[in-house]
Amino acid sequence: MNTAAKQPSGAPLPRVAGTPADDVLLQVSALSKRFGGIVATDALTLSVERGETQAVIGPNGAGKSTLIAQISGSLAPDRGAIVFDGVDVTHRSAHERAMRGLARSFQITSIFPSFSVVDNVALAVQAGIGSSLRFWRAVRSEATIGDAARKIVAQVGLADVADANAGALSHGEHRQLELGIALATQPKLLLLDEPMAGMGREESVRMVALIERLKDRFTILLVEHDMDAVFRLADRISVLVAGRIVATGSVDDVRANEEVRAAYLGDDEGAE
Amino acid sequence: MRPGAPLSVLYVVEQGLNGLQFGLMLFLLAAGLTLVFGIMDLINLAHGSLYMVGAYLAATLTQATGSFVLAVPLAIVATAAIGMVLETMLLRPLYKRDHMSQVLATFGVILIANEVTRAIWGVQPLSLNVPAAVSGSVELLPGLPYSAFRLFIIGVGLAVAAMLYVVVAHTRVGMLVRAGASNRAMATAMGTDIRRLFTLVFGCGAALCALAGALLGPLLAVQVGMGESILILAFVVVVIGGIGSIRGALVGALLVGTVDTFGRAFVPTALRAFLPPSFADAAGPPLAAISIYILMIAVLFWKPQGLFPARG
Amino acid sequence: MAWLRRAWPWIALALGVLLPPLAAALGQEFYISLASRIGVLALLATSLNLLVGLGGMVSLGHAAFYGTGAYAVAIAAVEWPGNGWLAGESALLAWPLAMVASALLALVVGAISMRTRGQYFIMITLAFAQMVYYVFVSLKRYGGDDGLSLPRRSHLPGLDLASDTTFYYVVLALLALALLLFTRVVASRFGRVLRAIKDNEARAESLGYPCTRYKLIAFVIAGAWAGLAGALMANQGSFVSPNLMHWEQSGTALVMVILGGIGDPWGGLAGAAVFMLIEEVLSAYTQRWPIGLGLVLLAVVFFAPRGIAGAFRKRE
């Protein structure tokens, strides 16, 4: 495993919510959400340090999608707080969080199907450069946007389909585009919601390599089922079960944790 | 009732019955519309044209046969047939098209239907008389004579509502219809039988339109354009009730029928109670006319997908 | 010759300048006022196209802004008559007033309607338009159901709008301006964001675009231009009536947009022109012209799915 980019590993036991480290980029405190009688998020506490890649794993129904939705701002929590880069964003809208540098990729591909691949990314670039209340000048004439978009398109490996219609791409290419759009907003935190979803072996390997190249430039919070990817990419892993984080620690610590193995990894692929 | 006249309980009851009657007729129109909208995802602007055709056929057949009771079922069957032909030939290829194409196509159908109707029957409204048997009035309560025909309409409306409930809730066809309304993809995946189901649903909707047209004909005018004016109300009912839901169509229709009737009857008077007369007389009529739209906006605020949306 | 493919609609528009002398030469002056009416409706349809085509917001209440603009001009003319630049009959006062009035109404209607989507948005805009309609029907002071006549057309310094030819040129110029702005907006940052919102609003929101605000801005701009179209229509016939804001007028405008080509900059003009010309030309031959129009609409749905203007575009 690539140890050079890792942060010092945490303790094998759940991290105590108390004194936050100076370089905490995202602090989620006692977050709670229920839908009728179902508790989806149960006083959840999680912190992401600047520069690290943290993975959130957990069985189906653990509340991963609900957590992502609350962090990104598309769902409002009942209780608790979300502090991003020193600012309390708990009650801020999704677009405000995006403007502050919180970018999210979607588990179910969510792109702009009637635009070309490069224009999809250009839309994300445009959001970060000045106001879009411009009605006269043609966007295509703005080289800053177009160049930046093409660069990112190349970075995510879609250079040869850059001008193709985004709706016509294969599933794997869609996931790459998803990542590209998130990148283009020059985020401080990249929230990746199951980037490997629905991918075959070969595509997954490519995607993992792609994300690996991003690790030292971005702080990443990664939700994923694919254990190979998680063990390869994560500096720290948090285990989410029934709306709570039951363990946080380095890859080795979590793998060794008996409770976690029983609850989740037990009958899974496990270590090689 | 003159604005300023004292309110009487009997008057309220009378208006309540009117509202019930109007609401039940709106239900007949809205039921077919909501199913077509919910299951086939089709915006059918020509729905009102079927209502018009039903009214015209009922009027003509009543003239020809001398019997309302004989003419109406014939009109219903004929309109259902016309509706099914329309569905098979013209609307079926539209199911997979976008809503705007459907709007354009069905608008074209309205233009053609209206003009063909004018060509056949002329521009003068047709007369459709209240059948002699129910032309009198019934003393429901002491001091409250009520039109027997309107009671008849209420009776037919309730019977049809009950029948629809039984069909939708307790038959296999009804189950398919409900499944289709709540999950269209599932319904279309169920195979070619679904096309026949759609045609059947459309035919039933057309039949209900024709019944409403025949029953309302004696009360409103049978003329070209009658479809469009009631189509708006039908859409309001569908939206309030929730697209795809028969139960929603019934509740929505009764709400709209009652609010509209009560609005027209009481708003001008009510305004006079606390506004200067000239103000009240000016503001009364428009406020009454828009009462159902205010109702719709209020419902959508509380429940943005209508009262009983078929799709979760 | 690729430029010709893109430029020909502009050339055709420019040729519109030749219409009045041509019509006069053929003794068919009537076509000048018909062309004015087509121009006004094209302006209305183009403003709706901004909403529907670019923003994906189907409004069945657009005629409310059209009618409000028309009534603004009529009421100003009747309440403050006179020849001065600041009189109610002055186009320099009344026409911007019409746009402002419509824009304000659009702001209110839009702010409330933005909470809904899809079919519910259609119905809520319809509801508001009906409310506006009934309010104007009840305004006895301004004619109510019977409508209100203007003593004469608005007064533009240096131009005699009473002349049908001059009025036509003013309409043509404003239409050309609107079409130019539309093509610029489509290609602009704002246009791109609107199209993105139409494609996938949730994603656009997550990129940092305040979607509701942008949609509201588009709604207000569209409303303002519809108001200008209304102001021109009030002048065209020197008459306004609540029918201008009836839902059937909204429906006709929408049909013109779909007919012409949703989202195509020329869709509004193509739709309005074809719709009106069929009505005029056919009605000379037969009373049954609506059947012909209905058949044309059906033909376009099945054989020209991207509308008339869309059919002329090379497939990209």
Side-chain angles (χ1 to χ4, degrees):
Chain A
M1 260 181 276
N2 183 358
T3 52
K6 271 205 278 198
Q7 298 282 305
S9 60
L13 296 166
R15 186 161 277 224
V16 172
T19 45
D22 274 350
D23 50 1
V24 166
L25 182 57
L26 177 74
Q27 177 69 48
V28 177
S29 313
L31 200 69
S32 297
K33 181 75 183 175
R34 63 180 337 152
F35 298 106
I38 300 171
V39 177
T41 311
D42 187 9
L44 189 150
T45 294
L46 174 77
S47 68
V48 180
E49 287 171 9
R50 209 176 291 269
E52 75 163 345
T53 296
Q54 183 175 153
V56 172
I57 64 173
N60 281 325
K64 297 197 289 297
S65 340
T66 313
L67 175 63
I68 296 287
Q70 289 173 88
I71 295 177
S72 70
S74 54
L75 187 64
D78 296 334
R79 274 189 309 279
I82 301 171
V83 176
F84 177 63
D85 203 17
V87 179
D88 186 340
V89 296
T90 321
H91 301 291
R92 303 281 181 109
S93 66
H95 82 256
E96 285 182 72
R97 299 184 205 197
M99 296 296 353
R100 293 187 175 279
L102 201 160
R104 167 195 178 167
S105 80
F106 286 67
Q107 177 193 351
I108 299 178
T109 304
S110 178
I111 52 155
F112 302 103
S114 62
F115 288 77
S116 70
V117 167
V118 68
D119 282 343
N120 263 264
V121 177
L123 270 165
V125 173
Q126 182 184 320
I129 304 184
S131 160
S132 282
L133 286 179
R134 310 248 182 101
F135 303 88
W136 183 264
R137 187 172 170 198
V139 160
R140 285 204 190 286
S141 69
E142 293 194 56
T144 33
I145 296 179
D147 291 345
R150 283 197 187 270
K151 220 169 94 177
I152 292 172
V153 166
Q155 264 176 12
V156 294
L158 289 175
D160 39 349
V161 289
D163 295 296
N165 176 258
L169 296 179
S170 72
H171 177 73
E173 288 168 326
H174 272 152
R175 307 304 292 151
Q176 285 166 269
L177 180 56
E178 265 292 330
L179 186 60
I181 294 176
L183 281 180
T185 59
Q186 294 187 306
K188 293 177 187 156
L189 175 65
L190 252 183
L191 201 53
L192 298 180
D193 191 355
E194 299 200 37
M196 250 69 74
M199 277 189 172
R201 192 90 230 110
E202 212 188 277
E203 292 172 319
S204 292
V205 166
R206 251 182 290 150
M207 188 59 126
V208 169
L210 223 164
I211 299 179
E212 234 182 331
R213 285 201 294 277
L214 301 174
K215 273 169 64 77
D216 45 2
R217 282 165 51 210
F218 296 97
T219 308
I220 301 176
L221 182 60
L222 167 72
V223 170
E224 216 3 285
H225 268 302
D226 183 336
M227 283 300 123
D228 289 337
V230 167
F231 292 145
R232 193 173 169 81
L233 293 170
D235 304 323
R236 274 199 302 162
I237 300 179
S238 288
V239 184
L240 176 66
V241 177
R244 289 186 146 260
I245 301 285
V246 300
T248 297
S250 71
V251 173
D252 295 327
D253 294 335
V254 166
R255 267 162 127 164
N257 185 309
E258 281 302 322
E259 274 182 63
V260 171
R261 285 174 80 103
Y264 185 47
L265 292 174
D267 50 350
D268 234 288
E269 313 159 7
E272 275 160 21
Chain B
M1 183 173 118
R2 287 179 301 109
L7 216 55
S8 76
V9 173
L10 291 178
Y11 185 68
V12 174
V13 171
E14 181 188 357
Q15 292 306 315
L17 287 170
N18 285 350
L20 176 65
Q21 172 248 308
F22 187 42
L24 286 169
M25 291 300 98
L26 280 179
F27 167 63
L28 294 184
L29 282 161
L33 193 62
T34 200
L35 285 182
V36 164
F37 212 165
I39 304 179
M40 289 102 97
D41 199 23
L42 175 75
I43 295 187
N44 178 21
L45 297 182
H47 197 73
S49 303
L50 292 167
Y51 162 79
M52 174 185 75
V53 166
Y56 266 87
L57 286 177
T60 310
L61 289 170
T62 307
Q63 286 259 3
T65 65
S67 160
F68 186 80
V69 171
L70 190 61
V72 171
L74 285 175
I76 291 176
V77 169
T79 310
I82 293 173
M84 290 196 276
V85 168
L86 180 70
E87 191 268 348
T88 327
M89 312 234 63
L90 209 59
L91 300 181
R92 197 177 281 176
L94 290 177
Y95 294 148
K96 56 183 188 299
R97 299 287 298 272
D98 59 288
H99 283 166
M100 292 296 99
S101 299
Q102 295 170 354
V103 163
L104 193 64
T106 51
F107 188 87
V109 171
I110 293 179
L111 289 176
I112 297 175
N114 282 352
E115 201 49 44
V116 167
T117 306
R118 264 187 226 113
I120 299 177
W121 280 283
V123 294
Q124 292 299 333
L126 284 194
S127 68
L128 178 57
N129 295 319
V130 174
V134 284
S135 59
S137 62
V138 173
E139 185 130 15
L140 287 177
L141 294 171
L144 181 62
Y146 195 69
S147 154
F149 184 59
R150 287 182 187 256
L151 282 175
F152 173 66
I153 292 180
I154 292 176
V156 172
L158 288 173
V160 170
M163 198 180 71
L164 268 177
Y165 166 71
V166 166
V167 168
V168 169
H170 295 294
T171 66
R172 190 167 169 273
V173 168
M175 183 206 74
L176 287 174
V177 163
R178 272 182 297 135
S182 66
N183 190 336
R184 201 179 319 111
M186 188 74 91
T188 44
M190 291 201 287
T192 45
D193 279 323
I194 226 63
R195 294 203 302 179
R196 259 183 273 154
L197 180 71
F198 286 1
T199 308
L200 183 68
V201 167
F202 198 84
C204 289
L208 291 171
C209 282
L211 178 61
L215 291 176
L216 284 177
L219 296 177
L220 312 171
V222 177
Q223 61 190 11
V224 170
M226 66 189 290
E228 283 69 83
S229 43
I230 211 162
L231 183 70
I232 281 269
L233 295 177
F235 270 111
V236 170
V237 166
V238 167
V239 163
I240 288 178
I243 296 174
S245 163
I246 299 259
R247 183 172 31 148
L250 182 60
V251 173
L254 291 176
L255 268 176
V256 170
T258 323
V259 167
D260 188 58
T261 307
F262 272 44
R264 287 177 198 282
F266 299 119
V267 163
T269 321
L271 284 182
R272 264 183 170 250
F274 55 90
L275 283 179
S278 52
F279 241 60
D281 286 343
L287 215 57
I290 65 179
S291 52
I292 57 163
Y293 297 108
I294 297 178
L295 167 72
M296 187 186 82
I297 293 174
V299 169
L300 285 183
F301 248 65
W302 175 46
K303 295 225 161 175
Q305 303 236 286
L307 294 172
F308 304 101
R311 257 168 267 145
Chain C
M1 290 296 267
W3 68 267
L4 186 63
R5 210 177 248 286
R6 267 179 293 127
W8 79 260
W10 293 108
I11 298 174
L13 194 65
L15 288 178
V17 165
L18 295 177
L19 178 79
L22 205 65
L26 294 173
Q28 305 273 28
E29 274 89 352
F30 157 76
Y31 277 98
I32 301 177
S33 92
L34 171 65
S36 295
R37 274 189 296 137
I38 292 179
V40 170
L41 288 171
L43 188 61
L44 174 63
T46 303
S47 74
L48 183 57
N49 206 359
L50 180 74
L51 270 187
V52 178
L54 225 49
M57 295 177 269
V58 179
S59 163
L60 250 191
H62 209 56
F65 314 121
Y66 178 60
T68 300
Y71 265 87
V73 164
I75 292 174
V78 159
E79 295 285 7
W80 304 292
N83 270 329
W85 283 37
L86 289 178
E89 291 183 279
S90 161
L92 293 177
L93 180 85
W95 295 9
L97 176 70
M99 291 183 83
V100 167
S102 299
L104 284 174
L105 181 65
L107 185 63
V108 172
V109 172
I112 303 179
S113 307
M114 285 303 146
R115 293 163 186 261
T116 57
R117 301 264 178 284
Q119 297 106 334
Y120 300 98
F121 179 79
I122 297 178
M123 293 307 295
I124 221 175
T125 49
L126 169 68
F128 278 113
Q130 285 295 87
M131 287 156 94
V132 172
Y133 169 78
Y134 283 114
V135 163
F136 276 93
V137 163
S138 70
L139 284 180
K140 294 288 171 263
R141 182 183 172 83
Y142 299 120
D145 224 347
D146 297 325
L148 183 66
S149 284
L150 280 73
R152 55 198 159 173
R153 287 187 177 156
S154 298
H155 159 72
L156 252 186
L159 296 170
D160 176 28
L161 288 184
S163 147
D164 278 345
T165 302
T166 314
F167 183 70
Y168 165 77
Y169 282 128
V170 169
V171 169
L172 185 65
L174 287 171
L175 177 65
L177 176 65
L179 288 170
L180 177 66
L181 291 175
F182 194 100
T183 27
R184 298 305 306 197
V185 166
V186 167
S188 74
R189 283 196 177 211
F190 183 76
R192 194 174 261 195
V193 174
L194 262 194
R195 278 186 301 134
I197 294 175
K198 178 185 180 186
D199 242 16
N200 188 341
E201 185 166 344
R203 199 64 213 263
E205 183 87 18
S206 77
L207 287 182
Y209 291 112
C211 295
T212 308
R213 201 185 310 166
Y214 275 61
K215 292 199 305 189
L216 185 58
I217 291 173
F219 198 81
V220 169
I221 293 176
W225 280 92
L228 180 62
L232 290 172
M233 189 51 108
N235 272 277
Q236 157 63 27
S238 293
F239 177 74
V240 299
S241 92
N243 282 334
L244 287 173
M245 40 199 114
H246 195 257
W247 69 270
E248 286 189 7
Q249 180 71 64
S250 293
T252 305
L254 183 61
V255 165
M256 286 180 184
V257 171
I258 307 172
L259 177 66
I262 298 177
D264 193 302
W266 300 93
L269 175 55
V274 169
F275 197 94
M276 297 296 292
L277 284 175
I278 290 183
E279 180 175 333
E280 285 300 329
V281 170
L282 280 187
S283 61
Y285 291 101
T286 168
Q287 225 186 337
R288 308 286 168 219
W289 62 266
I291 297 183
L293 181 57
L295 289 173
V296 167
L297 296 186
L298 286 170
V300 167
V301 167
F302 289 110
F303 302 117
R306 288 179 307 156
I308 293 174
F312 281 96
R313 273 199 196 284
K314 196 165 89 161
R315 205 166 283 277
E316 270 145 36

